[in-house]
Amino acid sequence: MADIIQLLPDHVANQIAAGEVVQRPASVVKELLENAIDASSDSIKLIVKDAGKTLIQVIDNGKGMSRTDARLSFERHATSKIRTAEDLFSLNTKGFRGEALASIAAIAHVELKTKQDLDELGTQIEIEGSSIKNQDVVVTPNGTSLAVKHLFFNIPARRNFLKSDNVELRHIIDEFHRVALAHPDIAFMMYHNGSESFNLLSSNYRQRVVNIFGGKTNEKLVPVEEETEVLKISGFVGKPEFSKRTKNEQFFFVNDRFIKSAYLNHAINSAFEGLMKDGSHPSYFLNLKVDPKSIDINIHPTKTEIKFDDEHTLYAILRSAVKHSLGQFNIAPVLDFERDTNLDTPYSYKNRHGATPMVEVDRSFNPFRDERIGSKPNYSTTSYRKEPAAQWESLYVGLESKGTKTDHHFSEVEFESDQKHDSLFSEEKQVETSQTTYQLHNKYIICTIKSGIMILDQHRAHQRVLYEGFLKHLTLKEAVSQQLLFPLALKFSSTEMTLLGQLKEDLEHTGFVFSSFEKDTLEITGVPINVPESEVSILLEQLISDVEQDVPDSHFSATDLLAKSMAKSLAIKTGQALTKFEQEHLVNSLFGCKAPSVSPTNRVTFITMSVDDFDKKFM
Ligand code: ADP
Ligand code: MG
């Protein structure tokens, strides 16, 4: 049989390589920026049109190329960065595969202008889909300008696969951030559709982070520095209270190269353990320096994943360095069993004077006040440490029901809060004579405290209060209900009824009374004491949707979920105006809670600002 194997023509091989190297406009941006850095530039300009679909141009002031090199740079495996296989183990450059320009030129219109310092004139080359259209001598500044137009012009499938301009631009900006963060000493500019998006001057690392992510970032950065034989770490982590729902402020650089590593990310997360709100992610901007010999960058065509010789050691060092920084900056509670637990204040107070979240409210406003003396609350031991939600129940187990089942029993929680509050703040009263609360935008409640002011999110704070109340009633099975004048009949689908059926007992413990639980109809004759009749159907619908969304796992607890859902439905909403009395009552009730600092879904309920903070702002 005849031989059938052929060598692929270069332009085909280049197109195939392009498939690996160039996924989208952002990949081109990354390769061109990296080439500019490898050319020792100190100022790099990125110009983008239509999210890179029409134009991506990078202009640098680096060392430029000779005429021959300019021509050769578009050949596959043409690189000035390595010569032998050994060089792969001592890489100081971003590139080394010699593939990027060849790949890009195979799938776009490329125009190169470049000039070296000592040359009078530069070189211009135009290439379309791997074939040279024009080569010339031109007048051009020192350095290189590479313009990539009509990306994927000859691969319609790839072009159609591109996402909207917004999405593609987002990817480009991400790459730009990564490169700019890895090189704070280099000035970077970016323009999109003619307007300036970034203008980053040469600076130190902190300034670079702040210039990219905004002035507010400055106060949240905690420096991390560590030097060991195998690893040098420098950079910042974000304070836990500023943690984000998204992961877009997470950066590792290894030897100035942005990398992704789920393993190292885990090290950071574990250093933050107990400090993070649910579903939020720590910010970090960390530079790791390791011996180039101890890593293999070659495992991924876009070089964002690398292999470390000794990952376990890096993990341990990284974790402890971050933990140390958080501890040093008084952010993480240090584990110390000898210590007085009263010192275990939430981390956000560590730096402040009069650290306990104290509130001083004129007691005469409170008609519920009585002379009972409560025990000292120990909420000082609560912090943002994440507790599996279900554990809250156990806080109440073993509590004796006091057997005072009056009609106003539900308010018991609030009475208790008041007492606690009383005993804690009584000394303060002599210090401040008048005390008031203020509602801002029907959303926040502001009140003065000894050290400055405290700002509560009314919706979240009330959720916390209601949640702990419901949980208590559910656990102690002692709720009181109010009789409805006429039974309330509500219709639900059969799956919804099944769900409600599973929760029936718990619902009864909150105060619901069902007279019938038929196929598709629920008849209710009693509701929990503080649930208005008009809210009942909304509340049950919300509950059903919460149960449906909650993936039952080991932490699943119907009781907890019910308490959360009801608290969410019934809590004072944002936008609701509150009377002075209501405002104060909410503040008091919140600080009678076991975990006043977070809502049932682990969001911050209040913040404080000290006089010192204000002083700084007025500087
Ligand atoms: P690699 O970066 O892996 O070497 P590229 O295809 O990206 O491969 O670039 C090929 C060569 O072209 C580089 O090795 C370098 O010598 C030269 N080159 C590319 N871009 C520039 C630039 N902006 N300034 C100077 N030389 C460049
Ligand atoms: Mg390159």
Side-chain angles (χ1 to χ4, degrees), residues 349 351-360 428 431-432 435 447-454 607-615:
Y349 289 94
N351 283 331
R352 306 183 187 180
H353 304 295
T356 328
M358 295 181 194
V359 194
E360 210 196 350
E428 308 268 332
V431 186
E432 285 190 17
Q435 162 71 56
C447 54
T448 53
I449 53 173
K450 197 179 174 192
S451 60
I453 61 165
M454 179 172 67
I607 56 166
T608 58
M609 286 183 84
S610 67
V611 175
D612 282 355
D613 294 339
F614 286 111
D615 288 347

Side-chain angles (χ1 to χ4, degrees), residues 340-355:
D340 181 357
T341 48
N342 285 325
L343 297 175
D344 240 332
T345 46
Y347 63 86
S348 54
Y349 289 94
K350 286 270 166 131
N351 283 331
R352 306 183 187 180
H353 304 295

Side-chain angles (χ1 to χ4, degrees), residues 31 34-35 38 81 95-96 100 303:
E31 293 297 336
E34 290 189 346
N35 279 348
D38 286 342
K81 298 169 193 174
F96 56 86
K303 297 165 280 191

Side-chain angles (χ1 to χ4, degrees), residues 18 20-36 46-48 51-58 100-101 103-111 146-152 158 162 168 171-172 175-176 179 302:
E20 275 198 335
V21 181
V22 186
Q23 273 112 31
R24 53 177 11 127
S27 332
V28 175
V29 169
K30 172 178 192 282
E31 293 297 336
L32 299 189
L33 290 176
E34 290 189 346
N35 279 348
L46 168 66
I47 298 166
V48 175
K53 294 170 186 172
T54 313
L55 172 75
I56 298 162
Q57 184 175 16
V58 170
L101 291 190
S103 302
I104 294 168
I107 51 169
H109 296 184
V110 176
E111 185 191 279
L146 214 129
V148 176
K149 296 174 193 164
H150 312 302
L151 186 65
F152 298 132
R158 291 300 284 275
L162 292 179
E168 294 302 338
H171 285 286
I172 289 177
E175 289 298 349
F176 180 82
V179 175
T302 58

Side-chain angles (χ1 to χ4, degrees), residues 574-614:
T574 295
Q576 192 172 327
L578 302 178
T579 63
K580 269 261 165 311
F581 167 69
E582 287 166 335
Q583 295 169 26
E584 284 164 5
H585 192 60
L586 179 58
V587 175
N588 291 350
S589 308
L590 179 67
F591 287 99
C593 287
K594 297 198 181 289
S597 50
V598 284
S599 76
T601 48
N602 272 320
R603 328 263 317 251
V604 177
T605 50
F606 68 87
I607 56 166
T608 58
M609 286 183 84
S610 67
V611 175
D612 282 355
D613 294 339
F614 286 111

Side-chain angles (χ1 to χ4, degrees), residues 294-548:
S294 73
I295 50 174
D296 182 358
I297 305 167
N298 213 357
I299 56 168
H300 197 266
T302 58
K303 297 165 280 191
T304 49
E305 278 165 34
I306 63 177
K307 199 168 152 302
F308 298 96
D309 276 357
D310 188 1
E311 263 192 336
H312 295 307
T313 310
L314 299 193
Y315 183 101
I317 299 172
L318 190 61
R319 179 169 180 269
S320 90
V322 172
K323 251 182 144 44
H324 179 76
S325 288
L326 291 173
Q328 209 182 6
F329 287 84
N330 287 328
I331 286 157
V334 193
L335 278 186
D336 180 353
F337 297 106
E338 303 281 315
R339 211 159 62 111
D340 181 357
T341 48
N342 285 325
L343 297 175
D344 240 332
T345 46
Y347 63 86
S348 54
Y349 289 94
K350 286 270 166 131
N351 283 331
R352 306 183 187 180
H353 304 295
T356 328
M358 295 181 194
V359 194
E360 210 196 350
V361 179
D362 187 337
R363 317 298 313 136
S364 61
F365 276 106
N366 190 344
F368 293 125
R369 186 182 172 200
D370 65 21
E371 296 309 312
R372 284 179 294 168
I373 293 163
S375 57
K376 218 177 167 82
N378 67 343
Y379 59 73
S380 58
T381 50
T382 54
S383 68
Y384 286 109
R385 227 167 300 172
K386 200 175 80 190
E387 305 271 358
Q391 284 181 13
W392 286 114
E393 292 169 82
S394 60
L395 292 173
Y396 295 96
V397 172
L399 275 185
E400 287 302 321
S401 173
K402 296 203 182 70
T404 49
K405 289 193 178 180
T406 64
D407 269 356
H408 296 292
H409 190 82
F410 194 77
S411 317
E412 180 84 356
V413 194
E414 288 141 12
F415 278 115
E416 283 177 359
S417 330
D418 293 343
Q419 301 158 23
K420 287 169 179 174
H421 182 255
D422 246 348
S423 62
L424 187 69
F425 301 114
S426 50
E427 318 97 79
E428 308 268 332
K429 251 194 249 176
Q430 295 116 36
V431 186
E432 285 190 17
T433 45
S434 77
Q435 162 71 56
T436 184
T437 57
Y438 177 80
Q439 195 185 19
L440 182 70
H441 283 219
N442 291 342
K443 183 171 185 192
Y444 296 110
I445 295 168
I446 300 176
C447 54
T448 53
I449 53 173
K450 197 179 174 192
S451 60
I453 61 165
M454 179 172 67
I455 306 168
L456 266 82
D457 180 311
Q458 64 185 41
H459 179 58
R460 293 185 192 172
H462 197 213
Q463 274 192 51
R464 165 53 64 186
V465 174
L466 291 175
Y467 169 69
E468 291 199 8
F470 283 128
L471 215 45
K472 185 178 171 191
H473 290 291
L474 278 162
T475 317
L476 300 179
K477 306 187 177 20
E478 49 150 43
V480 176
S481 58
Q482 61 188 356
Q483 189 84 35
L484 294 177
L485 217 46
F486 302 104
L488 186 68
L490 297 173
K491 288 214 177 292
F492 291 100
S493 77
S494 61
T495 38
E496 288 169 341
M497 282 300 281
T498 321
L499 269 176
L500 289 172
Q502 287 161 3
L503 293 168
K504 182 167 178 253
E505 213 178 307
D506 281 324
L507 283 165
E508 284 166 346
H509 292 145
T510 68
F512 278 100
V513 182
F514 302 105
S515 54
S516 90
F517 221 96
E518 294 298 333
K519 261 202 202 140
D520 62 349
T521 318
L522 204 58
E523 212 175 56
I524 302 170
T525 51
V527 293
I529 196 100
N530 60 345
V531 175
E533 197 182 330
S534 57
E535 295 280 332
V536 172
S537 111
I538 298 171
L539 188 145
L540 292 177
E541 266 161 35
Q542 180 67 51
L543 179 64
I544 290 165
S545 110
D546 285 346
V547 176
E548 276 170 348

